[in-house]
Amino acid sequence: MIRLLSVALILISAHAVNAAEKPNIIVIMADDLGYGDVSCYGATAIQTPAIDRLANEGVRFTSGYCSASTCTPTRFSLLTGTYAFRQKGTGIAPPNGPAIIRPGTDTLPSILKRAGYATAVIGKWHLGLGDTAPDWNGELKPGPLEIGFDHCFLLPTTNDRVPQVYVEDRRVKNLDPKDPLWVGSDKPSEDHPTGITHRSTLKMDWSHGHNQTIHNGISRIGFYTGGNKARFRDEDVADRWVTESNRWIEANQDRPFFLFFASQDIHVPRIAHERFQGKSELGPRGDCILQLDWCVGELTKTIERLGLSKNTLFVFCSDNGPVLDDGYKDDAVEKLGTHEPAGPFRGGKYSVWEGGTRTPFITRWLGKISPTVSNEVVCTIDLAASFASLSGQTLPRESCLDSLDVSAALLGKAGATGRDHLIQQDNGSANYGLRSGEWKLVRLKQRGKSQATVSLKEQAMPKGLHSLYRLTDDPGEQKDLSAENPETVQRLTKMLDKMINDGRSRQ
Ligand code: NG6
Ligand code: CA
């Protein structure tokens, strides 16, 4: 009897899985790309035809968010479905930072792997490698392969942080054991050339920070020596992501696959391939937007060529809002003109104003999604629960603590709703934003002026700890309505504190 019952159960669950939809999934995450940086979101100083095409053939979200206004916490939340502020050490990861997503954590790739997906991350990682620090000359473990990815081809941290090498699976690619790679935060020798001692030789000068080891004529954050055969040219990185992605997609085209394509564009140093240099009106920042758009076009072409367009869900998003001068003199400010990187929103990278986390967000699945523009609130943190649901799985209660199933909204279904609340964080300085319906509560505990230039417009800071904005008629968060609406401030403050203190926001 028990045997019969378990056979029946197996049949039922097999049926449930068969009934689930298992499209290939490609999540393209841009780096530091703002809401207003692409033409389908209103940019006129630059054209992004490939990204626009995704938007025209899918859902273009006007309230699509990433969960933080810097890279590491957003990527942590994307992969774990949990707000980064719940775990210490999830701020911008340093060159020698250890793996911050510990093995055993349920993640976006491990969830999809359970549903039979092949999984890969190609591009920027910036979530640390190794137990206590990366073993650059040995096995880089734990890393992506220990948390659900079958394959990785990575830029380990950021393009402005050392070292400029690729990591394939658990090894630095092309590392010559006779020329070991050393990475550290102290100058390795008195005569080690840096952006300070050799400033006149640099091909792109720095404006703040970024004055340590020089590679490819650009000084970086951190020091390194060795690994010379393994080092890449910044100009070639985007091409490499595309080549590696094509190779991996072709090898896995016969089974459902999940590719996290994590572009380093348009993060500093903004060094596009020579064929994009000088091609935009906006200087290197714009050239990198063109390069990013080219990558998107190449990926869609590959999917078309393999006949997978009707079987592939694309998600296009960014990891935080825009910044102009982020440490190099690359004309981003000088060539800005009337371009508005954050669109109509206030702030950008490093801030909890809307511009910090409200970013381009597009889904496309030909034949499945009817093209539309959606005002529903969706966030990169929701992909874990949404894809779990799409692939027929119920998440264990202890997994993905803040990820909500917004799959119907992601597929643009009529009447589908997104989130009714979203916490926005910065790099982890106890500043928060809470979006709830038409309202936005801003809690600023630390007001230190960010080094980043985002907008050329000066904006007055609110006086109190909490300020309140009605986004429906004030998307630019200019008019603090907290004095007139004390009950709303109180209600939202309680809601924010409860979600922080409860340790979870998914019911
Ligand atoms: C900051 C860097 C900035 C950028 C950022 C991380 C300085 C002065 N600024 O500390 O250039 O690297 O970290 O950006 O060093 S992120 O998009 O990866 O989060
Ligand atoms: Ca970023």
Side-chain angles (χ1 to χ4, degrees):
M1 179 63 190
I2 289 172
R3 222 179 126 194
L4 265 183
L5 204 66
S6 56
V7 168
L9 277 177
I10 288 166
L11 285 176
I12 291 168
S13 60
H15 176 77
V17 171
N18 286 339
E21 308 194 68
K22 291 193 193 167
N24 307 310
I25 298 172
I26 301 183
V27 174
I28 304 172
M29 182 171 263
D31 198 346
D32 298 2
L33 185 77
Y35 189 92
D37 275 328
V38 287
S39 38
C40 53
Y41 279 84
T44 52
I46 191 135
Q47 294 301 311
T48 50
I51 299 168
D52 295 6
R53 181 178 164 203
L54 286 186
N56 291 334
E57 295 176 346
V59 189
R60 182 174 71 81
F61 288 90
T62 61
S63 279
Y65 291 82
C66 47
S67 41
S69 58
T70 56
C71 167
T72 302
T74 282
R75 285 159 205 263
F76 175 87
S77 300
L78 164 78
L79 295 184
T80 62
T82 296
Y83 284 131
F85 60 77
R86 301 201 190 285
Q87 183 177 312
K88 279 211 169 83
T90 50
I92 299 169
N96 271 335
I100 63 174
I101 303 176
R102 305 313 289 181
T105 311
D106 238 357
T107 63
L108 181 52
S110 72
I111 290 163
L112 288 172
K113 208 171 148 90
R114 279 207 293 272
Y117 277 71
T119 55
V121 49
I122 295 178
K124 170 174 173 171
W125 181 238
H126 209 189
L127 289 164
L129 293 166
D131 242 334
T132 51
D135 176 4
W136 296 108
N137 300 289
E139 264 207 321
L140 293 160
K141 187 180 165 187
L145 271 50
E146 281 65 45
I147 58 161
F149 286 107
D150 299 324
H151 173 63
C152 67
F153 194 94
L154 310 171
L155 162 66
T157 50
T158 61
N159 39 339
D160 58 346
R161 283 175 178 71
V162 298
Q164 278 58 51
V165 297
Y166 296 119
V167 168
E168 185 173 36
D169 296 333
R170 298 190 177 96
R171 295 267 168 192
V172 170
K173 178 106 181 152
N174 293 334
L175 185 66
D176 176 357
K178 292 197 284 298
D179 180 28
L181 179 59
W182 172 88
V183 176
S185 48
D186 296 317
K187 198 168 161 164
S189 61
E190 256 320 294
D191 58 352
H192 182 82
T194 70
I196 296 175
T197 60
H198 289 63
R199 194 162 186 175
S200 63
T201 67
L202 301 175
K203 73 175 174 195
M204 182 181 270
D205 197 7
W206 50 274
S207 58
H208 49 258
H210 304 97
N211 52 22
Q212 300 177 326
T213 290
I214 300 170
H215 168 68
N216 193 22
I218 302 157
S219 49
R220 319 273 170 161
I221 301 173
F223 296 97
Y224 71 125
T225 58
N228 284 289
K229 261 177 60 189
R231 298 186 186 196
F232 58 64
R233 246 175 33 112
D234 303 76
E235 291 84 344
D236 300 327
V237 169
D239 284 351
R240 190 62 187 266
W241 302 147
V242 168
T243 309
E244 294 296 329
S245 296
N246 286 345
R247 199 199 316 272
W248 186 80
I249 291 170
E250 277 164 25
N252 290 281
Q253 58 180 299
D254 295 330
R255 52 188 287 213
F257 61 79
F258 164 57
L259 170 64
F260 174 26
F261 184 90
S263 171
Q264 89 298 345
D265 281 320
I266 56 172
H267 197 282
V268 298
R270 300 175 181 124
I271 307 281
H273 188 269
E274 283 83 353
R275 68 186 185 281
F276 297 106
Q277 289 181 14
K279 290 286 152 51
S280 82
E281 304 287 306
L282 299 173
R285 186 171 185 277
D287 299 346
C288 286
I289 297 177
L290 297 180
Q291 177 168 274
L292 168 71
D293 190 64
W294 173 83
C295 291
V296 173
E298 289 303 296
L299 290 175
T300 38
K301 268 196 236 158
T302 301
I303 292 302
E304 251 162 49
R305 172 167 60 79
L306 299 175
L308 299 174
S309 294
K310 292 203 163 162
N311 194 21
T312 302
L313 168 61
F314 277 93
V315 179
F316 178 81
C317 54
S318 180
D319 72 336
N320 51 250
V323 53
L324 295 176
D325 179 348
D326 205 17
Y328 292 96
K329 296 184 189 170
D330 62 5
D331 280 347
V333 175
E334 292 77 359
K335 296 207 166 158
L336 188 65
T338 56
H339 178 63
E340 299 199 82
F345 303 115
R346 180 174 185 173
K349 184 171 181 177
Y350 310 110
S351 88
V352 297
W353 302 109
E354 288 291 292
T357 51
R358 197 165 338 173
T359 37
F361 199 118
I362 299 165
T363 55
R364 187 197 81 162
W365 183 355
L366 285 188
K368 183 77 186 181
I369 290 180
S370 312
T372 186
V373 174
S374 168
N375 299 326
E376 292 304 315
V377 176
V378 294
C379 178
T380 50
I381 199 170
D382 297 324
L383 296 185
S386 300
F387 294 164
S389 150
L390 206 62
S391 59
Q393 303 179 69
T394 309
L395 279 178
R397 190 170 154 73
E398 62 280 6
S399 304
C400 307
L401 304 174
D402 303 291
S403 186
L404 306 186
D405 175 9
V406 293
S407 51
L410 291 176
L411 299 185
K413 294 202 173 134
T417 50
R419 303 179 138 257
D420 58 5
H421 53 77
L422 176 71
I423 301 182
Q424 298 149 279
Q425 72 162 94
D426 57 10
N427 194 43
S429 63
N431 291 330
Y432 291 106
L434 173 65
R435 163 121 195 228
S436 175
E438 61 180 344
W439 293 108
K440 167 80 178 278
L441 179 81
V442 172
R443 177 187 288 172
L444 291 181
K445 281 201 173 162
Q446 280 185 17
R447 293 153 181 257
K449 195 176 175 310
S450 142
Q451 339 106 324
T453 319
V454 175
S455 161
L456 302 181
K457 286 182 246 154
E458 272 299 319
Q459 285 158 324
M461 286 296 264
K463 292 202 176 66
L465 172 65
H466 292 109
S467 54
L468 181 74
Y469 306 88
R470 200 199 312 268
L471 294 177
T472 33
D473 38 60
D474 181 21
E477 296 166 285
Q478 295 296 314
K479 206 165 160 232
D480 178 6
L481 299 176
S482 58
E484 296 96 308
N485 298 277
E487 307 80 29
T488 308
V489 172
Q490 209 181 17
R491 179 173 63 82
L492 295 181
T493 305
K494 261 175 93 174
M495 191 171 159
L496 174 61
D497 286 332
K498 182 167 166 30
M499 283 195 281
I500 294 173
N501 296 333
D502 281 356
R504 63 183 306 137
S505 60
R506 180 169 74 83
Q507 294 314 307

